[in-house]
Every structure is written in structure tokens, then in C-alpha cells.
Amino acid sequence: MGGMRVAVIGLGSMGLGAALSLLREGIDVRGCDLSDAQRNRFASENGQVFDNPAAAAEGAEAVLLMVVNAAQTEDALFGAGGIAKAMAPGGVIISSATMAPDDARALAAKAEGQGLLYLDAPVSGGSVKALAGEITVMASGSQEAFAAADPVLSAIAAKVYRLGDEAGLGSAYKIINQLLAGIHIAAACEAMTLASKLGLNLETVHEVITASAGNSWMFANRVPHILAGDYTPHSATDIWVKDLGILSTIAGKEKFPLPLTSAAQQMFLATSAAGMGRDDDASVARLIARITGVKLPGTEED
């Protein structure tokens, strides 16, 4: 496995963890990110870093793309990034950005037209699981793409779901996950600020709810950020502005109403507009607290 060359494009909260997980397996990893800080973090762990995607992907047998959306994925692969031309012939593209299924299918067709394999492989789990090599991958693509990507997936994931042999299916599953996750974060923030307004002990609220039917994975995961008053971005507010926006576009084409998703998107959008777009997504609670005059731990200065 150590002889495999892999480029990781995008060293954000998930990409950095994935790159470090690959490095631990002895894989030849080349990381690329526009951010000096993220490149430096990877370099500090003895990772090879590049500020140019094509340079990182030169001769790579696999490229793991952990960028923001379909447009960035396409530009990195076939536009200014030049990844597709730099990769080893027959290499596999592992595309992990959240995007509409139609976009995934179009990118796969273009990649396959240039003699490359393409795995539609969105991910979930957050930065902590990424650092541990334990993310969930929702993947679809050809058997050849799965086989080529297997060493990478084995290093970065605890669960890999094989959801079909066509690109687009993985992205469709991820969109359903994002619908629920976004609503659950917004709901958790709304619940905790109301609890504060009612004078409840927030630590006790967290304890009681996580042992009760009202719990969700996001409540259990994000409420500790609120309790600590720590909004370091494990997952940024603007991610949800983007992802729930993608959902809204898809649903609009299908003439499918998404009232709860739309409400959650507006909460994230308002939080971003208030200057917290790059802070942790639990910052929705800070926005609600500002509007209602509620005090939350560590946010008195807000």
C-alpha cells in the first residue's frame, strides 16, 4: 500500500483528517489547499504540501477531492486546477464534495471520457472522526472505481456504503443526510436557547435530552460546543448555507416543498449575515441568543 500515490485536494476540517489518516498508513500523500495555515498544519505532520492542484496530483493513482461544491470540483479536475491531465492514466477520482446528483453524473462522464475512474463518494462524520480515520462514505460508481479507491477508503473510513454502480447515487444519499443534519442542528440551537430563556441548567438539559426521545446525533454532538462557549469551526455555518441551498434547488426542480429545510437554511443564512459564517455551525444558538436577549456560556460579549 505504501507505494500508492494519493493527492488530497482540500485540507479543511475533513480533508486534513483524511490526509493524515492516509499518511498513517504509509501512503505517499500530497496535500493541496489554498490556505497557508492548512498547508502548514499538514506539513507539520510531515505531509507533502502544494498550493497547486496539478502539482499535487502529478502521477497520482488516486485523487481525493474534499472541496466545497460541484463548481470547485469541476474547476480542480478539468479547469485551472488541471488535475485530470496530471493524474496517472486510469487513476481514480474520489469526489467527496456535497453536490446535486446531476452534477455528479456529469463529472463522472467527463472523467471517464478522459480515461479516468470516478467514484461519487460524499462523506460524513465531522473533523474528529476524520482525524481518527473513521468517517462514513456514501459511495457509488463502477466496480473498477471501487477497487482502485479501496486503499484510500480503507484508510479514511469506518463505514463505506456501496450504493450502486452509477455516479449520482452517493450524492443523493448525502443530500438526504444533509437535510436531516441541518434541521437537527438548527433545532438543537433553538431548544438550548429556549432552555436558557426558561432558566434551566443547560448542562442538565443536555444530560436529560441525550437520554430521552428528543435526542439526535447533532444535539449530542453540537450542544457541548454551546455549553463550552467554544465556536471553533469543526463544521462552519456557511457549509449549511451552501448544502441546504443545494437541497432547495433540487427540490425546486422536483416541485417538492421543503418547509423545515427552508426554515433551517434561513437560520444559517442569518447567522452568516451576522458575521458568524466561518464559525462553528452551533453559532445559530448565538444568533438566537442575540435576538432574544438570552445569555449563553462564553457569549456575553456578543
Side-chain angles (χ1 to χ4, degrees), residues 65 73-74 77-78 83-85 87-95 103-120 145 167:
L65 279 157
T73 302
E74 182 168 25
L77 287 172
F78 308 113
I83 288 171
K85 291 181 180 177
M87 290 178 67
V92 62
I93 296 161
I94 305 167
S95 176
D103 289 328
R105 284 188 280 270
L107 288 169
K110 196 166 185 178
E112 289 159 5
Q114 297 191 22
L116 297 168
L117 299 168
Y118 186 98
L119 199 66
D120 179 21

Side-chain angles (χ1 to χ4, degrees), residues 237-238 241 267-277 287:
T237 297
D238 279 344
V241 175
M267 293 174 73
F268 288 112
L269 187 59
T271 304
S272 181
M276 295 177 278
L287 177 78

Side-chain angles (χ1 to χ4, degrees), residues 136-278:
T136 296
V137 181
M138 306 166 216
S140 63
S142 68
Q143 292 302 308
E144 293 81 5
F146 272 108
D150 185 66
V152 175
L153 300 179
S154 296
I156 68 174
K159 291 184 179 180
V160 178
Y161 288 99
R162 296 189 174 215
L163 301 169
D165 59 6
E166 293 182 1
L169 287 168
S171 287
Y173 276 84
K174 176 63 183 293
I175 283 294
I176 299 302
N177 179 77
Q178 297 307 83
L179 182 155
L180 291 164
I183 291 171
H184 290 171
I185 293 168
C189 292
E190 187 171 273
M192 291 306 292
T193 45
L194 177 60
S196 181
K197 185 73 170 180
L198 296 177
L200 303 182
N201 180 291
L202 298 188
E203 297 274 358
T204 305
V205 171
H206 180 247
E207 180 181 351
V208 170
I209 297 303
T210 53
S212 303
N215 190 39
S216 67
W217 191 94
M218 283 300 188
F219 185 95
N221 185 267
R222 298 305 203 265
V223 170
H225 303 176
I226 298 169
L227 298 178
D230 182 359
Y231 297 92
T232 303
H234 295 285
S235 175
T237 297
D238 279 344
I239 293 293
W240 297 100
V241 175
K242 170 186 70 76
D243 286 3
L244 299 187
I246 292 170
L247 264 161
S248 179
T249 299
I250 292 170
K253 290 179 180 177
E254 299 290 338
K255 291 186 169 55
F256 192 96
L258 293 176
L260 298 181
T261 302
S262 297
Q265 184 192 13
Q266 291 301 309
M267 293 174 73
F268 288 112
L269 187 59
T271 304
S272 181
M276 295 177 278
R278 303 189 72 162

Side-chain angles (χ1 to χ4, degrees), residues 46-67:
N46 298 316
Q48 301 177 68
V49 294
F50 299 82
D51 57 8
N52 179 285
E58 184 66 38
E61 297 155 90
V63 171
L64 176 61
L65 279 157
M66 289 203 165
V67 294

